[in-house]
């Protein structure tokens, strides 16, 4: 009778352990590592010789980034039981820490002990090679191919094959393997999810979104797919993104990151006061452990509520706490705008925008920050620095316009760099020879450079200007009057060509018959000619 009772007890005990292991594996499948660790610790506590529990816990720790804990649990398991699976667990840890030769010895030991035929061992070693950065994905595929036929038709094996191909950057073969996993089990959400991730890297929206949707249709508890759909809709439909976020949180283990995500969502939804409240809750909980990005979110929320001064204070805290390598270009651009709104240190504005320009790799963003810096200098009436950045904008644009070129040249002229202005407007006349603007500003620039009229460098530009502008005298009246006035002065004072000077004055009078200067100067020239003729007689 006692034997029967004991036998019944053993059956019950085994059933509970098996059920718990299945539960732990499900948690791992769903990405709920914390729950999996808790279940596996309980199993080990109840049965210190359960090799599968040690192996799974080791894997959970590795996935969580707890490498030292993974090594410790693998060593403990080996002390309790000499199961080949634990040699693989230890080998997995060693491979993850780049101790390839030591790992290989343990993998070989496990394979020899199981005569290279145990599906679980082959699968576990393959997984180690797939997971570890130093692992050999090709060898993993070879091992998976050795799994006996009846065990090979398994979605887990098919997914591992897909992972291995993905590591080898053979996306097509990876997708085929994941599709095979779905054929084996229609409810395998992981396979749909991983196919979605492949197409996500290709930004193929028409394909990856349906795959993530298929994943949660296959298994509504599969949290990773909810997260991807949340990320997708975050910039497209914030309400829909919110629905996916709440489902993701519901099907995940509770972590502080969820509070951060909810705070992000509140800000993105325009609920700035609520976002501030939630952020302050996190601050009170996390204190010194608060993620730096929360201070940035507080700054953005305050800025949206028109409190630039407080927003700047939060950004100062963010910069003091965040690693410099993790600060992005938009952080500096945002900070520059805060400084400009609160009329703060000009040097900080300049430095912030220059950092944003240096950091951002997207051309359009760089150009946007350069435009902000140009506008800053323009409002400060610092024409030469304005010109400097207008020049950089012109040089970077794929298809710069005549306006870009004109603004660059004009800023140089107004800043007093007439030689450089002439060079820029020379480019303008080459690119747009039939427009008056390049010739006009070349004439103006050279007119200032040659202020004594000694070299006459402005003359050919004014002559060309008259030729072009005469096609529409009414439109270009002022330009024509300036050009004729300059040429009249040059002809009379430098060349002593009074008749030619009078002709230029006549051109002015055709445009403006009552022009006093032209009338007066024409009389002076007539008298000069008369005196010259009288003297010659």
């Amino acid at each position: 009778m006692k034997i029967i009772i004991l036998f019944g007890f053993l059956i019950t005990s085994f059933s509970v352990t098996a059920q718990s292991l299945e539960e732990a594996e499900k948690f791992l499948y769903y990405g709920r590592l914390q729950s999996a660790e808790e279940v596996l610790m309980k199993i080990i506590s109840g049965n210190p010789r359960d090799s599968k529990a040690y192996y799974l816990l080791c894997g959970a720790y590795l996935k969580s980034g707890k490498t030292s804990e993974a090594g410790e649990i693998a060593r403990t398991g080996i002390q309790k039981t000499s199961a080949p699976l634990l040699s693989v667990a230890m080998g997995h840890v060693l491979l993850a820490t780049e101790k390839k030769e030591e790992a290989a010895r343990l993998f070989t030991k496990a394979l020899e002990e199981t005569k290279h035929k145990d599906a679980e061992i082959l699968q576990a070693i393959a997984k180690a090679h797939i997971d570890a950065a130093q692992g050999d994905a090709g060898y993993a595929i070879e091992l998976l191919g050795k799994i006996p036929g009846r065990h090979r038709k398994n979605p887990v094996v098919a997914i591992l094959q897909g992972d291995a191909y993905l590591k080898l950057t053979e996306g097509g073969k990876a997708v085929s393997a994941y599709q095979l996993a779905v054929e084996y089990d229609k409810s395998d959400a992981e396979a749909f999810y991983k196919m979605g991730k492949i197409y996500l890297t290709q930004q193929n929206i028409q394909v990856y979104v349906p795959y993530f949707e298929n994943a949660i249709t296959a298994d509504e508890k599969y949290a990773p797919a909810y997260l991807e759909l949340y990320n997708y809709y975050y910039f497209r439909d914030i309400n829909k993104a919110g629905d996916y976020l709440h489902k993701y949180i519901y099907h995940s283990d509770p972590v502080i990151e969820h509070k951060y995500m909810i705070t992000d969502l509140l800000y993105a939804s325009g609920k700035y006061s609520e976002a501030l409240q939630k952020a302050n809750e996190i601050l009170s909980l996390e204190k010194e452990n608060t993620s730096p990005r929360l201070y940035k979110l507080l700054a953005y929320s305050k800025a949206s509520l028109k409190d630039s001064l407080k927003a700047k204070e939060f950004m100062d805290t963010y910069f003091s706490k965040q690693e410099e390598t993790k600060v992005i270009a938009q952080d500096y651009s945002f900070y520059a705008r805060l400084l400009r709104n609160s009329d703060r240190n000009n040097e900080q504005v300049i430095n912030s925008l220059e950092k944003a320009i240096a950091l951002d790799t997207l051309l359009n963003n760089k150009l946007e920050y350069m435009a902000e810096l140009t506008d800053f200098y323009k409002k400060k009436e610092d024409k030469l620095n304005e010109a400097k950045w207008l020049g950089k904008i012109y040089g970077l644009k794929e298809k710069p316009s005549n306006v870009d070129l004109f603004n660059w040249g004009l800023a140089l002229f107004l800043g007093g760099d007439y030689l450089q202005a002439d060079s820029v407007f020379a480019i303008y006349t080459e690119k747009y020879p039939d427009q008056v603007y390049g010739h006009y500003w070349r004439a103006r620039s050279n007119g200032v450079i040659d202020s004594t009229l000694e070299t006459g460098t402005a003359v050919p530009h004014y002559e060309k200007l008259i030729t072009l502008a005469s096609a529409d005298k009414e439109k270009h009246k002022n330009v024509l009057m300036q050009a004729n006035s300059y040429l009249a002065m040059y002809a009379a004072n430098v060349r002593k060509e009074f008749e030619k000077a009078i002709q230029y004055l006549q051109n002015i009078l055709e445009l403006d018959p009552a022009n006093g200067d032209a009338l007066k100067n024409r009389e002076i020239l007539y008298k000069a000619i008369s005196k010259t003729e009288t003297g010659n007689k």
Side-chain angles (χ1 to χ4, degrees):
M1 186 66 177
K2 286 181 182 180
I3 293 174
I4 294 172
I5 293 170
L6 180 60
F7 181 74
F9 170 77
L10 287 172
I11 288 291
T12 303
S13 174
F14 174 78
S15 175
V16 170
T17 303
Q19 186 179 6
S20 297
L21 277 174
E22 185 181 341
E23 182 185 14
E25 287 182 303
K26 267 295 183 185
F27 281 137
L28 289 171
Y29 172 79
Y30 290 132
R32 297 182 61 173
L33 302 178
Q34 183 180 318
S35 294
E37 288 170 17
E38 289 172 2
V39 171
L40 291 165
M41 286 297 290
K42 286 178 183 176
I43 295 172
I44 290 169
S45 177
N47 181 7
R49 294 178 60 79
D50 192 318
S51 59
K52 185 68 175 285
Y54 283 108
Y55 170 75
L56 292 175
L57 185 55
C58 178
Y61 282 146
L62 284 172
K63 203 165 186 179
S64 300
K66 304 173 184 175
T67 309
S68 59
E69 289 91 334
E72 187 59 37
I73 202 68
R75 280 188 286 272
T76 302
I78 290 170
Q79 289 170 5
K80 300 293 182 181
T81 174
S82 59
L85 191 58
L86 292 176
S87 294
V88 178
M90 193 68 237
H92 196 157
V93 174
L94 291 167
L95 191 58
T97 53
E98 301 185 11
K99 296 174 182 175
K100 295 171 68 175
E101 292 182 5
E102 293 176 55
R105 283 195 290 271
L106 286 173
F107 291 151
T108 300
K109 178 176 179 291
L111 287 169
E112 288 175 351
E113 287 177 359
T114 56
K115 299 180 181 179
H116 296 259
K117 292 181 179 179
D118 188 292
E120 187 175 46
I121 296 300
L122 291 165
Q123 184 176 306
I125 298 172
K127 180 171 173 53
H129 276 280
I130 292 165
D131 290 348
Q134 296 291 318
D136 183 343
Y139 180 55
I141 291 169
E142 182 185 329
L143 289 171
L144 293 169
K146 292 178 179 179
I147 292 176
R150 64 190 182 89
H151 295 291
R152 202 182 303 166
K153 290 187 176 182
N154 182 332
V156 176
V157 174
I159 286 173
L160 283 173
Q161 286 175 324
D163 293 346
Y165 282 123
L166 197 58
K167 189 171 183 178
L168 294 170
T169 66
E170 295 185 36
K173 289 183 178 180
V175 169
S176 296
Y178 296 142
Q179 287 173 336
L180 193 61
V182 173
E183 289 180 23
Y184 293 149
D185 183 355
K186 303 288 185 201
S187 67
D188 198 303
E190 186 179 11
F192 287 116
Y193 170 77
K194 289 193 170 183
M195 284 188 277
K197 291 288 281 185
I198 290 174
Y199 289 103
L200 175 61
T201 61
Q202 301 170 5
Q203 289 300 301
N204 191 335
I205 294 172
Q206 284 71 30
V207 179
Y208 75 74
V209 172
Y211 271 129
F212 293 139
E213 290 171 339
N214 288 342
I216 56 178
T217 299
D219 187 341
E220 64 176 8
K221 295 179 182 179
Y222 195 75
Y226 289 114
L227 180 60
E228 293 299 338
L229 289 167
Y230 161 71
N231 290 331
Y232 171 76
Y233 283 107
Y234 187 85
F235 294 106
R236 294 171 173 86
D237 183 338
I238 200 63
N239 293 322
K240 203 164 185 177
D243 291 339
Y244 283 119
L245 177 60
H246 292 305
K247 288 175 182 176
Y248 167 70
I249 291 172
Y250 180 78
H251 292 294
S252 303
D253 287 335
V255 290
I256 191 67
E257 178 61 22
H258 293 164
K259 293 185 182 294
Y260 283 97
M261 294 174 78
I262 290 170
T263 309
D264 286 338
L265 184 72
L266 289 169
Y267 171 79
S269 302
K271 299 175 181 177
Y272 307 121
S273 297
E274 292 176 54
L276 286 167
Q277 183 181 346
K278 184 63 69 174
N280 284 320
E281 286 177 17
I282 296 171
L283 276 172
S284 64
L285 283 171
E286 292 279 271
K287 296 183 172 58
E288 289 303 312
N289 294 323
T290 300
S291 170
R293 72 184 177 90
L294 187 72
Y295 295 102
K296 180 165 66 173
L297 188 142
L298 283 162
Y300 272 89
S301 298
K302 281 293 184 183
S304 297
L305 294 170
K306 310 301 181 186
D307 189 349
S308 295
L309 191 61
K310 196 65 181 176
K312 179 196 172 293
E313 289 178 16
F314 280 124
M315 282 304 290
D316 286 334
T317 305
Y318 166 72
F319 286 129
S320 71
K321 292 179 176 292
Q322 183 62 282
E323 295 174 38
E324 191 173 351
T325 55
K326 292 183 179 178
V327 178
I328 60 175
Q330 288 89 335
D331 295 340
Y332 291 116
S333 172
F334 173 62
Y335 189 60
R337 286 195 292 274
L338 292 177
L339 291 167
R340 292 181 71 179
N341 289 341
S342 57
D343 198 26
R344 291 280 169 160
N345 189 299
N346 291 342
E347 283 300 316
Q348 282 186 293
V349 174
I350 295 165
N351 290 339
S352 295
L353 285 172
E354 287 183 346
K355 285 178 180 178
I357 292 163
L359 268 181
D360 212 307
T361 56
L362 294 177
L363 178 59
N364 286 341
N365 290 348
K366 276 185 181 290
L367 292 170
E368 182 184 329
Y369 304 142
M370 286 180 175
E372 286 182 44
L373 193 50
T374 301
D375 182 64
F376 172 78
Y377 282 121
K378 185 177 182 178
K379 288 179 179 176
K380 294 294 177 185
E381 297 184 356
D382 184 343
K383 287 297 176 183
L384 287 181
N385 273 312
E386 179 189 347
K388 168 188 168 182
W389 288 100
L390 284 169
K392 287 179 182 291
I393 288 171
Y394 183 81
L396 272 180
K397 274 191 173 181
E398 292 179 3
K399 294 181 179 179
S401 68
N402 61 325
V403 176
D404 295 318
L405 191 54
F406 177 83
N407 288 340
W408 177 19
L410 184 60
L412 285 164
F413 180 89
L414 296 176
D417 190 344
Y418 304 111
L419 282 171
Q420 188 61 30
D422 179 53
S423 297
V424 171
F425 284 115
I427 299 170
Y428 195 103
T429 58
E430 288 173 17
K431 287 183 172 292
Y432 313 101
D434 297 330
Q435 293 185 14
V436 299
Y437 311 109
H439 301 285
Y440 174 76
W441 286 103
R442 285 208 76 186
R444 288 284 305 272
S445 298
N446 281 279
V448 179
I449 294 166
D450 180 27
S451 59
T452 61
L453 305 180
E454 288 181 14
T455 60
T457 53
V459 171
H461 304 301
Y462 275 123
E463 289 174 340
K464 181 65 176 178
L465 184 60
I466 288 173
T467 302
L468 289 172
S470 294
D472 190 340
K473 292 183 179 180
E474 189 59 35
K475 179 181 178 181
H476 299 302
K477 179 179 177 179
N478 289 334
V479 168
L480 285 167
M481 289 179 68
Q482 287 183 54
N484 281 287
S485 179
Y486 184 91
L487 291 173
M489 182 171 59
Y490 179 75
N493 296 330
V494 178
R495 304 292 296 177
K496 307 302 181 183
E497 296 174 348
F498 300 147
E499 295 284 355
K500 194 171 185 179
I502 289 170
Q503 183 56 55
Y504 287 125
L505 294 172
Q506 285 294 122
N507 293 341
I508 293 172
L509 290 168
E510 283 181 21
L511 296 165
D512 181 11
N515 189 284
D517 288 336
L519 289 168
K520 182 175 71 174
N521 289 322
R522 186 178 63 175
E523 284 305 311
I524 292 171
L525 290 172
Y526 278 145
K527 289 178 182 179
I529 291 171
S530 178
K531 279 185 180 182
T532 302
E533 289 175 348
T534 302
N536 289 337
K537 288 177 182 179

